[in-house]
Amino acid sequence: MTFVDLEDVPESSKQDTNKKESTPVDRNTGQWGYDLYPERRQEKKPTPLTHYILGKGSENLEKIKCERGVYRCFKESPIVKLMLGALKSSGCPVDIRRHISCEECSLEVSGGFDPVLNQVVICHNNASKEGIIQGVLLHEMVHMFDFCRNNLDFKNIDHLACTEIRAANLAHCSFMSAWVNGDTSIFNMKATHQNCVKNKALTSMLAVRNITQNEAINAIERVFDRCYNDLEPLGRRLRRSSNDMTKAYEDGIYYGYVDS
């Protein structure tokens, strides 16, 4: 999921940026999703001691747990390591301290990508298990990869639809998840994966843009075939309960995707 207006994003921010944008960006607007990520638009006040005494300081423990989960994914997850290698080879190396942020978010989302700061957000209050953190990292790093390598313009609704299609395609949908979500039945198994991808992309687009459902659907349909068949940098769709993640990581070396 992505959530900002790129009108004022300098070209250099697509690389490994250590500086904030030179032009201020208005973050106090729900149009670009900042209502879902409150820590993106205001400084969070220190937690009073009374909150700890009354048991209300759990968000700090959640943040630490999230950061540990992210670190383990960086060190142990083959698919996250593949994305790190792909980003590095594309000229956008990822620094875990600079480009990944565990934050408290709205209950509707588990993560996001902020291209203004070139930063992936993991919602520590909604993504607590390591498997969920891995999925969020993969989804958002697909957006980061598209932004780095494909000159992605998030103001363009077709560009947004394309990257959401790719993220859903590579990071989320499988036969089982589609069945659980009601995207398929015994009568339309052939379209199972495509239906799941379209529905996931639609949900993500509506969550972060002030557009109608028809506008989002039309954008998805315009770009679907091309973006659905673009499997970079994984080279495959990941099947549940398979070793596809390990295979994708092992194949990455042939394309120069080395994370270290």
Side-chain angles (χ1 to χ4, degrees), residues 16-258:
D16 181 18
T17 54
N18 292 314
K19 297 180 180 180
K20 296 183 179 180
E21 66 277 11
S22 57
T23 304
V25 176
D26 182 7
R27 304 189 172 196
N28 296 308
T29 171
Q31 182 180 5
W32 305 110
Y34 281 109
D35 54 333
L36 303 178
Y37 307 87
E39 290 190 27
R40 299 272 97 184
R41 56 183 168 83
Q42 61 185 11
E43 293 185 4
K44 191 173 182 181
K45 297 179 180 180
T47 304
L49 180 61
T50 53
H51 281 219
Y52 292 104
I53 296 174
L54 297 175
K56 297 181 180 179
S58 60
E59 64 271 11
N60 291 300
L61 298 178
E62 291 175 346
K63 182 180 178 69
I64 292 172
K65 183 178 179 181
C66 171
E67 291 173 343
R68 288 176 176 172
V70 169
Y71 179 79
R72 282 193 293 269
C73 285
F74 266 54
K75 293 298 183 180
E76 301 173 6
S77 168
I79 205 64
V80 171
K81 291 166 70 175
L82 171 63
M83 292 303 303
L84 291 172
L87 283 158
K88 181 179 179 180
S89 71
S90 300
C92 301
V94 176
D95 183 336
I96 191 172
R97 299 164 299 179
R98 163 66 181 83
H99 297 107
I100 311 294
S101 178
C102 288
E103 300 179 9
E104 186 174 357
C105 311
S106 171
L107 296 178
E108 295 96 312
V109 294
S110 56
F113 173 57
D114 182 345
V116 170
L117 299 180
N118 194 24
Q119 198 169 58
V120 168
V121 176
I122 309 294
C123 300
H124 61 66
N125 55 318
N126 301 326
S128 57
K129 296 182 179 179
E130 194 166 316
I132 298 176
I133 292 174
Q134 176 184 249
V136 173
L137 281 172
L138 175 56
H139 181 115
E140 306 307 337
M141 290 172 83
V142 170
H143 294 325
M144 182 180 276
F145 179 84
D146 287 347
F147 183 56
C148 169
R149 189 163 176 171
N150 299 325
N151 295 319
L152 199 64
D153 179 2
F154 288 107
K155 295 180 296 178
N156 186 315
I157 190 173
D158 285 2
H159 285 206
L160 176 63
C162 186
T163 193
E164 293 296 355
I165 288 167
R166 282 182 23 81
N169 192 16
L170 297 174
H172 293 287
C173 292
S174 67
F175 176 81
M176 184 58 68
S177 65
W179 185 284
V180 170
N181 291 329
D183 296 321
T184 189
S185 72
I186 193 173
F187 302 107
N188 69 339
M189 291 183 181
K190 185 176 181 180
T192 292
H193 196 268
Q194 293 187 6
N195 289 341
C196 177
V197 169
K198 288 180 179 180
N199 287 339
K200 176 65 178 176
L202 176 63
T203 299
S204 294
M205 291 179 69
L206 293 178
V208 298
R209 288 295 184 273
N210 184 22
I211 57 177
T212 68
Q213 180 167 308
N214 284 338
E215 287 173 328
I217 290 174
N218 290 337
I220 289 170
E221 293 297 337
R222 282 194 298 269
V223 303
F224 187 79
D225 288 343
R226 174 168 52 86
C227 300
Y228 180 75
N229 290 313
D230 181 0
L231 302 180
E232 287 294 325
L234 274 61
R236 69 194 72 207
R237 298 181 180 94
L238 304 178
R239 297 168 298 177
R240 183 168 294 188
S241 302
S242 73
N243 62 346
D244 286 347
M245 288 193 295
T246 300
K247 288 182 178 179
Y249 174 65
E250 292 173 347
D251 289 346
I253 192 172
Y254 299 116
Y255 303 96
Y257 298 160
V258 180

